[in-house]
Amino acid sequence: MSSPGRTEHLVLDGVLTAEEAALTVAGILAAQRADGAIPWFRGHHLDPWDHTEAAMALDAAGEHEAAERAYVWLARHQNQDGSWYAAYADRPDGVDTTEPQDASRESNFTAYIAVGVWHHYLSTGDDTFLDRMWPAVYAAVECVLTLQQPGGEIGWKREEDGTAVTDALLTGSSSIHQALRCALAIAEHREEPQPDWELAAGALRHAIRRHPERFLDKDHYSMDWYYPVLGGALTGSEAKARIDGRWDEFVVPDLGVRCVLPNPWVTGGESCELALALWATGESDRALEILRSITHLRADNGMYWTGYVFQDDAVWPVEQTTWTAGSLLLAVAALGGDEATTEVFGGTSLPAGLEPDCCG
């Protein structure tokens, strides 16, 4: 399916002009390998989650052929158990490689394909693509659910030898919650109901909402603060209360969002994800405020520096990642009303799963 790039809904006052948006899209395209893989940047590694985030940004910009090549890369490199490795080495010459840099298999990395595939379908209406990718999505979800614990939370990963790590991360499980909802939407569209997935999503949502003790304590990371909202487990007044409760701890006015407390380090990816979470709760003004605050991370080539240590007035690390640029484009696309992006990050029509009635 051929479609010219489009950036009209990626224009946002004080954040991106049409020319700036086009330059950012071009930067992601330049980093994509001929085989479809999208590494962090050329010569660095690729991980399946960030690869998918960048592909979603390409779809939001109308670069559907490039996005499809990214998803086909995932389908070609899926492990037999439905997973992907945590990281793959990049070859600067662009030659296809399946060489793992980290052969563990993280559950949220594996699940995220469902979000990307549903986003691509909503962007293109391409049923042939959905048919082609359904086996990969199905296998990925089934793989992830082998790590679900009796309390609903999802174990973090499997080690290289296949040993399950049953400790659960709140951020990872929240991302998986979003992925399960998108997988259920795909299944519903295909008229192939998956009741076990509905039960799994409901149990996971219950754990995220009501049982923080079932997750490793990582509350000094900003992702653990906003991801239950971004992943759709917390909505309405619960979501607003969570965001308001730690706003002053994590948000640095005019600079962005801290990655981890108490470090004087703001990061573009976390800032854009918080903006998406704010948009999903109906707080577009605060989302815009956050996006405007990180324009200082924009490089002359249209890409974005990963982070900034404000205590030292220093960019760090000195890298411009495709996923940082991708998260910025997705946040702008949501604020701009791009239908596919608004649906996967805030769509009320996404199946919610069957949350248990009990409080256990």
Side-chain angles (χ1 to χ4, degrees), residues 12-346:
L12 191 59
D13 185 38
V15 180
L16 282 180
T17 65
E19 293 76 15
E20 288 170 338
L23 193 58
T24 301
V25 173
I28 297 175
L29 288 170
Q32 185 176 32
R33 297 192 326 214
D35 64 3
I38 308 177
W40 284 23
F41 50 86
R42 293 316 314 268
H44 199 57
H45 76 263
L46 169 154
D47 74 71
W49 198 101
D50 289 311
H51 164 93
T52 299
E53 186 88 339
M56 290 169 66
L58 292 178
D59 265 327
E63 297 290 346
H64 302 312
E65 288 185 354
E68 182 171 347
R69 288 192 293 112
Y71 294 119
V72 170
W73 187 94
L74 284 174
R76 285 204 314 268
H77 295 92
Q78 190 171 30
N79 295 321
Q80 288 189 346
D81 67 352
S83 70
W84 286 270
Y85 295 125
Y88 295 82
D90 179 46
R91 287 181 51 162
D93 58 8
V95 174
D96 188 358
T97 177
T98 59
E99 178 186 352
Q101 187 169 309
D102 179 347
S104 65
R105 288 155 282 165
E106 298 190 18
S107 53
N108 67 304
F109 283 11
T110 294
Y112 206 55
I113 186 176
V115 181
V117 165
W118 187 232
H119 182 261
H120 183 81
Y121 172 75
L122 293 172
S123 298
T124 63
D126 188 349
D127 280 298
T128 300
F129 167 82
L130 206 60
D131 291 343
R132 180 180 186 181
M133 295 301 299
W134 171 244
V137 171
Y138 183 89
V141 172
E142 290 290 300
C143 174
V144 167
L145 293 184
T146 66
L147 288 167
Q148 187 162 37
Q149 303 306 301
E153 70 276 20
I154 308 287
W156 175 25
K157 66 177 180 178
R158 289 190 183 274
E159 300 286 11
E160 184 174 353
D161 64 2
T163 301
V165 177
T166 57
D167 291 335
L169 300 173
L170 181 58
T171 293
S173 283
S174 298
S175 177
I176 292 169
H177 179 265
Q178 180 191 20
L180 287 175
R181 295 180 72 198
C182 289
L184 284 166
I186 296 170
E188 183 177 284
H189 178 78
R190 292 176 53 81
E191 299 182 347
E192 296 188 32
Q194 303 294 326
D196 289 345
W197 296 4
E198 290 186 64
L199 291 170
L204 176 57
R205 182 170 185 261
H206 180 74
I208 293 168
R209 293 178 65 221
R210 299 290 179 250
H211 291 281
E213 77 281 358
R214 293 177 183 169
F215 301 91
L216 294 176
D217 183 3
K218 302 283 185 181
D219 71 352
H220 54 301
Y221 286 91
S222 60
M223 287 192 295
D224 264 27
W225 165 50
Y226 63 74
Y227 243 95
V229 178
L230 181 61
L234 291 183
T235 58
S237 60
E238 284 186 315
K240 187 177 188 309
R242 187 174 184 90
I243 296 298
D244 289 347
R246 304 193 70 186
W247 181 272
D248 291 338
E249 292 180 68
F250 286 112
V251 176
V252 182
D254 301 319
L255 290 179
V257 176
R258 292 179 192 257
C259 177
V260 57
L261 297 174
N263 297 0
W265 180 43
V266 295
T267 49
E270 277 78 358
S271 299
C272 295
E273 288 181 336
L274 175 62
L276 271 169
L278 288 165
W279 167 82
T281 62
E283 296 203 56
S284 294
D285 288 346
R286 282 212 286 183
L288 179 58
E289 171 192 333
I290 292 294
L291 294 179
R292 285 175 173 169
S293 75
I294 60 167
T295 55
H296 65 100
L297 293 176
R298 185 177 176 86
D300 291 341
N301 63 357
M303 298 298 281
Y304 288 78
W305 300 106
T306 297
Y308 172 73
V309 181
F310 50 87
Q311 184 172 283
D312 300 331
D313 188 24
V315 166
W316 185 83
V318 183
E319 61 185 29
Q320 299 164 7
T321 47
T322 51
W323 49 267
T324 299
S327 66
L328 183 284
L329 292 174
L330 287 171
V332 172
L335 285 167
D338 177 60
E339 291 184 7
T341 304
T342 58
E343 177 63 18
V344 298
F345 286 106

